[in-house]
Amino acid sequence: MHLPHQRAPLHDLPDTPEAYDAVLAGVTEQALARLTPEGSLEHPDCVDDIGDTSLGITSLLCLAWQRTKDPRLPDAVRRSLAFHLRERVYREDNPGYPNLRARGSGLPYARYTLAAGAHPIGDWPSTVWALLQAVNVLDTAEGLVDDEQRTELVEVAHGYWRWLTEATFFNPQEAANQAIGCVVGGLMLARHLPPQEGERVRSRATGLYGDEIRAHRVRDRGALLPPEHGGAYDNNYGPISLSFLAQAHRVSGEEIFAEDGDALARYIDARLPSGGFDNGGPRYSEQHSAFESVLGLRYFSARIGSDLGRYRGDGRWARHAVKADGGVDGHFAWMLVWQIRDTTRWHRTPSTAPARHQLRAGSVSVAFDDRMTPSLVEAAGTYYLPAAVGRQHGFGPVTDGFLLCRPMGEVRVRDVTAGGLKAKLVTKPVVGRDHVLRHVQSLYVTDGTSLWVTVAVERLPGTPYLLAGLPYAVDDGDRVRRTAEPRAASAGELLLTHPAPDDPHHFDARTDTTQEQAAFALAADPRGYGNPDQGWSHLVASSALEAGPAADAPDDLHVFAVRYGPHDGAFTPAFEREGTALAVRTEAFTAVIGDAAGDAHAEPELSLSG
């Protein structure tokens, strides 16, 4: 089976003016055919996330008119704008809305679902979206609407802003993408207000960013990140936040948005493998955004000098939101408007600078988590997740059922490049159940096609093995297909094991259940509201690649060696002591891992030659 949301890299989408004109032409024809006598441009199947959608299509028609002067569009814009102002602006409190700070304010807001009291929790983001659609119309409707309509839209947009920042708690869902979107709405609205009021709104927007978003950033993998739904990063909403940061910088010129966007972009670059597959987050573990992410990934790919567009988006939303029948939906339409108007082009080559939390070359990559344990390994188009054994998750040696991957002290990292090879040495102090402190040294070497992993640790009791990953997915053209088959070889015995019990706490990669589905099944809250990462942490056991120790390792060490990638050639690495150092010789390289005895800063030493 193919994973539903992991599709083509976003930078593969044509983004020329001609390509965007074709997109707008398609939207125009659908919209004109859909326009009701009342002026609605909503998709007939739209129920949730509906409060801003007609206005979103209106904004796209405004942009299309600016580019083509199609004579059919002015009437459609005026009628659809009148519909939104008449039918989709609410001023009476929604029964059951839990986040009000002031009752009966009379300020306008948009509803997530039109029926009173039905799912009111979504009204805050829906009002942010409506504000953004409104300011986009104001930016592009010159010559299309009369002064009366324009004045009313400015008043409603200003009311949306006040409802979001005065009548309710700010960012009640703890979702940075929504909160930064609100800030962007204020920055854009300010340009359409009288100077004094505009400056007040602009100041309030930047203040909210600093006090309510930036001050609450969460650290992950060495970066401070705007939190998404209570987590540090979400692979669906994180790139959307990046788009909002790009627009905030474009509108305001404030360097704080560029600096924070750079930090988030470098984080995404480090966690994203060469093939663009990613998973994880506090809301939608494997669901990717598409057109909503293009602006941010493209804008910051140029700023940080890396190919962020390799991110695999969901091609069904390649240009704009669509419903199940493929019909255009106005949800998030402002992102299409912004990316069309932005002239930044994709940066398409990888960054060559070493990154602590990533090793990447060619089609091979390893992304590391906060503990410098691999969170995702990619080689030969196959993606491996951390495996689980006895409720412990990660990559590393296992002895007597205990996984040695959680550091007890400082983790040291050294990067080396030599002769077309890239290597990273990770040294961790770890403590087992026997309370003995051991140093686990993990060497990762790649030539861009294969990945060699060598793990050395002081001699372990029992019958140890290396937990070497959960084979999960494989590239299949532009799509990503589920797999349970590794492409790997080992210096010791190599086994692929699967958990026996048939219950949600055991994940068998041979089934059609996705990681996202399995994670939500273990989450504390319902799907869509729970945290799948937290749910997945409750997993007891998973399918796992298990590599036995090499037979010819030095007597005082257990050494494990795995080669991920093509099966070409025998894999017979050799290991020997060179003084206190360990020499590792394979068919592709020789590496010498030092013990830091000769380093004045106690840093582990690494030399590499092809």
Side-chain angles (χ1 to χ4, degrees):
M1 60 172 286
H2 287 108
L3 297 177
H5 305 285
Q6 305 275 351
R7 300 184 182 231
L10 290 180
H11 62 201
D12 288 353
L13 291 168
D15 62 349
T16 62
E18 295 76 17
Y20 282 131
D21 282 339
V23 172
L24 289 174
V27 171
T28 294
E29 296 308 318
Q30 279 199 54
L32 292 175
R34 179 188 299 170
L35 186 65
T36 68
E38 296 78 21
S40 173
L41 290 171
E42 293 163 357
H43 190 285
D45 293 339
C46 192
V47 176
D48 295 341
D49 268 322
I50 191 173
D52 66 300
T53 61
S54 182
L55 191 59
I57 300 292
T58 302
S59 73
L60 293 174
L61 296 184
C62 290
L63 182 60
W65 187 82
Q66 294 292 347
R67 295 165 73 92
T68 67
K69 296 299 188 287
D70 185 332
R72 300 174 296 171
L73 294 180
D75 180 63
V77 167
R78 294 173 193 134
R79 288 171 56 195
S80 60
L81 179 54
F83 167 80
H84 178 83
L85 293 172
R86 183 181 67 249
E87 301 291 342
R88 294 296 177 257
V89 178
Y90 294 84
R91 295 180 183 271
E92 294 183 357
D93 295 346
N94 198 351
Y97 184 70
N99 300 313
L100 287 177
R101 298 176 62 190
R103 293 187 184 277
S105 69
L107 292 170
Y109 66 94
R111 285 188 178 173
Y112 176 80
T113 300
L114 299 181
H119 207 313
I121 193 69
D123 289 356
W124 201 87
S126 288
T127 304
V128 174
W129 311 155
L131 170 61
L132 292 169
Q133 312 284 25
V135 292
N136 269 348
V137 171
L138 291 171
D139 280 353
T140 56
E142 185 174 353
L144 283 173
V145 300
D146 58 30
D147 290 345
E148 183 178 353
Q149 259 194 333
R150 184 179 187 86
T151 298
E152 186 176 359
L153 183 58
V154 169
E155 184 272 329
V156 166
H158 193 192
Y160 285 155
W161 170 256
R162 291 188 59 203
W163 188 85
L164 291 163
T165 60
E166 298 174 21
T168 71
F169 289 96
F170 185 79
N171 191 21
Q173 294 185 20
E174 297 183 351
N177 73 96
Q178 299 172 7
I180 305 172
C182 182
V183 167
V184 171
L187 295 171
M188 296 181 71
L189 170 67
R191 301 181 299 185
H192 298 282
L193 298 174
Q196 186 174 359
E197 184 57 35
E199 181 54 39
R200 186 157 43 242
V201 170
R202 185 179 300 105
S203 176
R204 174 72 168 143
T206 55
L208 284 168
Y209 181 76
D211 297 339
E212 300 294 338
I213 302 171
R214 196 168 199 265
H216 297 280
R217 288 177 299 170
V218 177
R219 185 176 295 278
D220 185 42
R221 308 185 195 194
L224 285 172
L225 307 173
E228 292 295 342
H229 293 281
Y233 175 82
D234 186 282
N235 72 333
N236 181 39
Y237 292 118
I240 296 176
S241 279
L242 194 65
S243 287
F244 283 130
L245 286 168
Q247 181 66 2
H249 186 240
R250 292 179 68 232
V251 172
S252 70
E254 295 286 345
E255 277 304 302
I256 192 172
F257 299 117
E259 292 169 4
D260 290 356
D262 288 348
L264 177 54
R266 290 192 181 97
Y267 171 89
I268 293 173
D269 192 35
R271 72 173 285 138
L272 200 63
S274 298
F277 168 83
D278 194 12
N279 76 305
R283 280 294 290 272
Y284 301 118
S285 185
E286 289 183 306
Q287 293 191 35
H288 273 204
S289 49
F291 81 100
E292 316 101 292
S293 303
V294 166
L295 175 68
L297 293 170
R298 191 173 69 191
Y299 191 83
F300 286 100
S301 74
R303 283 188 56 91
I304 71 167
S306 195
D307 56 337
L308 294 177
R310 69 188 187 275
Y311 177 94
R312 285 184 186 265
D314 190 335
R316 293 167 297 184
W317 280 37
R319 299 298 193 178
H320 46 66
V322 296
K323 289 300 184 185
D325 64 358
V328 63
D329 180 11
H331 188 48
F332 266 55
W334 65 85
M335 286 292 194
L336 179 57
V337 173
W338 297 344
Q339 64 174 274
I340 291 176
R341 303 185 82 187
D342 178 50
T343 58
T344 308
R345 299 278 67 85
W346 289 109
H347 181 99
R348 296 181 178 273
T349 56
S351 170
T352 57
R356 178 179 173 89
H357 294 277
Q358 183 194 60
L359 175 68
R360 180 185 174 205
S363 60
V364 173
S365 51
V366 185
F368 297 87
D369 64 16
D370 256 344
R371 305 178 303 183
M372 288 304 298
T373 297
S375 62
L376 185 66
V377 170
E378 171 197 26
T382 302
Y383 302 96
Y384 302 83
L385 303 178
V389 56
R391 293 183 173 85
Q392 303 161 95
H393 298 226
F395 286 72
V398 177
T399 178
D400 294 330
F402 189 83
L403 173 60
L404 297 170
C405 74
R406 292 167 297 280
M408 182 65 69
E410 190 66 23
V411 179
R412 308 298 184 104
V413 178
R414 175 155 287 189
D415 288 276
V416 173
T417 301
L421 299 168
K422 283 188 173 183
K424 187 183 293 286
L425 175 64
V426 177
T427 301
K428 295 182 184 180
V430 299
V431 175
R433 285 201 174 101
D434 56 8
H435 290 219
V436 174
L437 179 70
R438 295 178 174 88
H439 290 83
V440 176
Q441 292 193 300
S442 302
L443 174 65
Y444 305 85
V445 181
T446 180
D447 61 359
T449 301
S450 297
L451 172 70
W452 291 265
V453 178
T454 305
V455 179
V457 62
E458 291 95 331
R459 201 82 182 170
L460 296 167
T463 308
Y465 64 89
L466 180 73
L467 193 64
L470 157 64
Y472 179 69
V474 62
D475 288 335
D476 186 10
D478 282 343
R479 301 294 299 278
V480 178
R481 177 171 47 82
R482 279 293 311 284
T483 189
E485 297 297 323
R487 298 188 67 186
S490 171
E493 184 181 16
L494 187 65
L495 299 174
L496 179 63
T497 64
H498 302 284
D502 183 16
D503 75 71
H505 294 87
H506 296 76
F507 183 80
D508 188 335
R510 297 170 297 182
T511 70
D512 287 343
T513 303
T514 66
Q515 189 269 351
E516 177 186 347
Q517 292 168 331
F520 267 121
L522 297 174
D525 298 301
R527 183 180 178 88
Y529 303 95
N531 183 335
D533 275 4
Q534 192 177 66
W536 185 254
S537 72
H538 299 308
L539 192 72
V540 172
S542 72
S543 297
L545 198 59
E546 300 178 0
D552 60 347
D555 291 341
D556 61 333
L557 294 176
H558 268 121
V559 179
F560 310 88
V562 177
R563 183 184 67 192
Y564 301 84
H567 294 297
D568 303 335
F571 181 51
T572 55
F575 314 97
E576 61 181 320
R577 284 292 193 187
E578 291 189 359
T580 58
L582 174 69
V584 180
R585 293 182 173 87
T586 74
E587 72 280 11
F589 66 88
T590 296
V592 179
I593 304 171
D595 65 357
D599 187 280
H601 302 287
E603 290 292 338
E605 296 179 334
L606 172 65
S607 65
L608 179 70
S609 59

